[in-house]
Amino acid sequence: MSKFFDEITPEIKSFIENQKIFFVATAPREGHINLSPKGMDTFRVLDSHRAIYLDLTGSGNETAAHLLDNGRITIMFCSFDKAAMIVRLYGTGRAIHPGDPEWDNYLAKFPSEPGVRQIMEISVTRTMNSCGYAVPRMSEEGIEERETLRKYWEKDRADPEKYQLKHNTHSIDGLPTGITSAK
């Protein structure tokens, strides 16, 4: 049975800290829904109503565009180990870019990663947990981080800013992402 809360409880925070994968869902007022898997050590709970995640440069920048459009965001964590559980964080978000007042403080909360694009800040208004009994179990040996993204951005010729200007300024629906306003 699902349980709803008005905040990130200590139990939910503990669960989140033990997950290796999370999913980000956003949608514009009109257009395509975006659902993106995330991993690596890129998520932090700041307090009972705020969380952030480090957003690395990728093929699109839908989340930033959708947050500019309407601010709505849902984050989902699901356990793949013995204890079945799913947690969702509902709220609003915004992209923090280099030069924004929070940037240095937030960036310091994460390990150094190549290809950093922005940090997503989420104001959590509601949380939910549910059973997750249909989610398969996987062992630690069966899950490992991929090094592909790190290796790509660590190459000498890799230029995240050039890539971002070419591929991340507009969503697939043509909405601006706001990434150029910070540069």
Side-chain angles (χ1 to χ4, degrees):
M1 175 178 281
S2 299
K3 293 181 185 174
F4 290 91
F5 305 92
D6 293 329
E7 65 182 4
I8 302 169
T9 66
E11 295 80 16
I12 288 174
K13 181 179 188 258
S14 178
F15 175 80
I16 288 170
E17 290 170 345
N18 288 306
Q19 303 314 304
K20 297 186 180 303
I21 300 167
F22 63 100
F23 301 85
V24 177
T26 58
R29 284 177 250 258
E30 292 189 30
H32 295 84
I33 295 168
N34 186 58
L35 176 60
S36 296
K38 305 290 183 183
M40 304 162 73
D41 186 17
T42 58
F43 196 91
R44 299 289 182 272
V45 173
L46 299 179
D47 59 43
S48 63
H49 291 280
R50 290 183 313 134
I52 56 176
Y53 74 86
L54 189 64
D55 187 54
L56 305 175
T57 301
S59 57
N61 199 5
E62 301 306 297
T63 302
H66 296 170
L67 294 180
L68 281 175
D69 185 54
N70 62 44
R72 296 176 307 148
I73 188 167
T74 299
I75 309 291
M76 185 184 79
F77 298 87
C78 57
S79 172
F80 294 100
D81 61 17
K82 198 170 189 177
M85 185 185 297
I86 296 171
V87 165
R88 289 178 182 87
L89 308 179
Y90 300 98
T92 58
R94 68 186 183 110
I96 306 295
H97 299 103
D100 288 343
E102 306 90 336
W103 179 260
D104 290 336
N105 181 42
Y106 285 177
L107 188 62
K109 297 181 182 305
F110 299 100
S112 178
E113 293 288 355
V116 171
R117 175 170 53 197
Q118 56 213 349
I119 297 169
M120 300 305 191
E121 179 185 56
I122 302 120
S123 296
V124 178
T125 56
R126 191 172 202 193
T127 64
M128 182 187 94
N129 65 14
S130 57
C131 68
Y133 292 152
V135 176
R137 278 192 273 181
M138 295 181 222
S139 70
E140 276 295 316
E141 295 80 33
I143 300 174
E144 65 181 63
E145 288 187 357
R146 299 173 196 267
E147 292 297 318
T148 311
L149 189 60
R150 282 188 185 106
K151 287 178 181 177
Y152 182 87
W153 292 117
E154 287 171 346
K155 289 179 188 175
D156 288 336
R157 69 178 191 278
D159 184 348
E161 284 193 28
K162 184 177 179 183
Y163 184 96
Q164 292 164 10
L165 289 173
K166 183 175 180 183
H167 299 286
N168 297 160
T169 61
H170 289 83
S171 75
I172 60 174
D173 294 308
L175 297 170
T177 66
I179 196 158
T180 56
S181 63
K183 298 197 183 308

